[in-house]
Amino acid sequence: MATSYSMLSSVSNLPNFFLIYTYCLLLLSSLSYNLCYGFKPRHFNLSTASTHWASAGATWYSSPDGFGSDGGSCGYGESVSQAPFSSMVTGIGPTLYNSGKECGACYQVKCTKHPACSGKPTRVVITDFCPGGVCASDRAHFDLSGTAFSAMAIPGQEKHLRDAGNLRIRYARVACDYAGKTLAFHVDQGSNSNYIAFVIEFEEGDGDLAGVGLMETTSTKTTSNSDQVITTEWRRMQQSWGAVWKLDAGGELKPPLSIRLTSQYSEQTIVAKNVIPVGWKPGATYRSLVNFL
């Protein structure tokens, strides 16, 4: 009888058991969804993120030990051949170029399927755009400088690797690290007192930008006849092309000018205060005291 009573009690509690079990499943499902799909860290750091490798095609262009094209579609000019870029640069297909918004982003690339491949990763920076051919047909494609392509080879086997032509490689998005170099702003030659454009170089961390703002400085007189500095609001700049950002001020700009930069990947924001000085000149480069790392 005791056994029968115990069994009857268990059966009578089955509806409650299934209700609790179902509730737990729904709760776990909700938590899993939020963790997997709804979690968007505002300041996710590429330098501490795990490396996720994917497959891509790779070619090279220009001279075997060169830097591809002179600055390319991102607007970096001759600096691509100089430190810290040091010719370790790449053009990129449309999917990763993202209309120039990924200019400055850093990737590790490596090859393993050719006898001349070292299998060791090397870091490159997006400085150019490869719009057609295999660059457009591949899901992801890197058109590397001769220097960067050769860096994937076993020492002494660089020519054999270059002769392979179109390779299958592995690539991973990584943080940019320019050994403590600060952000630089190279002012476009077409800039004037009412219009300014500049290419932004050496963004550490994410490497790319989601937005840029500019703040002017104005001076007024107080009743005591001493100067009082008043800063105006941030003005949103537009991406002109590649890594070049512009502002048509609609009136005379009042330097020194502060620049606010927002990272594309993590949404982190920093300010280069008064980086464009009074008396700034088109064609000049102005270095800040800040960077993302």
Side-chain angles (χ1 to χ4, degrees):
M1 290 294 294
T3 303
S4 298
Y5 178 78
S6 175
M7 289 176 66
L8 286 172
S9 298
S10 299
V11 171
S12 65
N13 287 329
L14 278 175
N16 290 334
F17 170 78
F18 281 117
L19 283 172
I20 294 170
Y21 179 72
T22 303
Y23 174 78
C24 290
L25 283 178
L26 288 171
L27 180 61
L28 287 171
S29 177
S30 175
L31 288 171
S32 176
Y33 176 85
N34 287 330
L35 286 171
C36 295
Y37 301 102
F39 181 60
K40 295 180 180 179
R42 184 169 179 80
H43 297 301
F44 190 71
N45 191 344
L46 268 173
S47 62
T48 58
S50 58
T51 302
H52 299 285
W53 294 94
S55 179
T59 47
W60 65 278
Y61 70 120
S62 193
S63 61
D65 58 352
F67 47 85
S69 61
D70 192 7
S73 297
C74 289
Y76 293 119
E78 296 178 355
S79 63
V80 295
S81 64
Q82 303 164 6
F85 290 140
S86 302
S87 301
M88 294 298 293
V89 296
T90 184
I92 207 77
T95 53
L96 292 180
Y97 186 68
N98 193 19
S99 300
K101 291 183 175 61
E102 295 300 311
C103 285
C106 294
Y107 285 85
Q108 282 187 336
V109 293
K110 63 181 178 179
C111 70
T112 57
K113 303 208 178 271
H114 188 278
C117 290
S118 70
K120 297 178 180 179
T122 186
R123 184 162 51 192
V124 295
V125 185
I126 295 177
T127 61
D128 204 355
F129 178 45
C130 183
V134 291
C135 291
S137 59
D138 279 350
R139 185 173 181 180
H141 193 92
F142 290 76
D143 198 22
L144 297 151
S145 70
T147 299
F149 195 92
S150 299
M152 295 189 296
I154 296 169
Q157 298 293 309
E158 293 86 355
K159 184 179 185 304
H160 294 294
L161 188 64
R162 290 193 300 269
D163 288 345
N166 191 2
L167 283 177
R168 297 308 298 174
I169 65 165
R170 303 287 286 171
Y171 75 98
R173 178 74 182 273
V174 294
C176 295
D177 185 356
Y178 296 113
K181 202 173 188 71
T182 55
L183 287 164
F185 302 83
H186 180 74
V187 181
D188 189 81
Q189 287 286 359
S191 300
N192 55 56
S193 59
N194 299 305
Y195 167 86
I196 190 168
F198 44 72
V199 61
I200 304 170
E201 298 178 328
F202 316 135
E203 303 102 87
E204 293 190 323
D206 300 346
D208 53 3
L209 294 171
V212 179
L214 179 147
M215 181 183 283
E216 302 173 72
T217 303
T218 59
S219 296
T220 61
K221 294 288 186 177
T222 65
T223 54
S224 61
N225 293 326
S226 61
D227 287 336
Q228 179 187 26
V229 176
I230 299 176
T231 56
T232 58
E233 73 281 356
W234 288 104
R235 304 180 65 176
R236 183 179 178 181
M237 300 189 73
Q238 294 179 313
Q239 183 192 14
S240 179
W241 56 278
V244 180
W245 294 76
K246 67 179 181 179
L247 175 68
D248 191 346
E252 187 172 349
L253 289 162
K254 300 176 177 61
L257 308 175
S258 297
I259 309 299
R260 182 177 66 186
L261 305 99
T262 302
S263 167
Q264 175 85 12
Y265 192 86
S266 67
E267 299 181 15
Q268 183 182 0
T269 296
I270 59 173
V271 174
K273 188 175 181 181
N274 298 335
V275 66
I276 310 294
V278 174
W280 62 271
K281 302 291 184 184
T285 298
Y286 300 99
R287 301 196 179 279
S288 72
L289 299 176
V290 296
N291 213 324
F292 284 99
L293 289 183

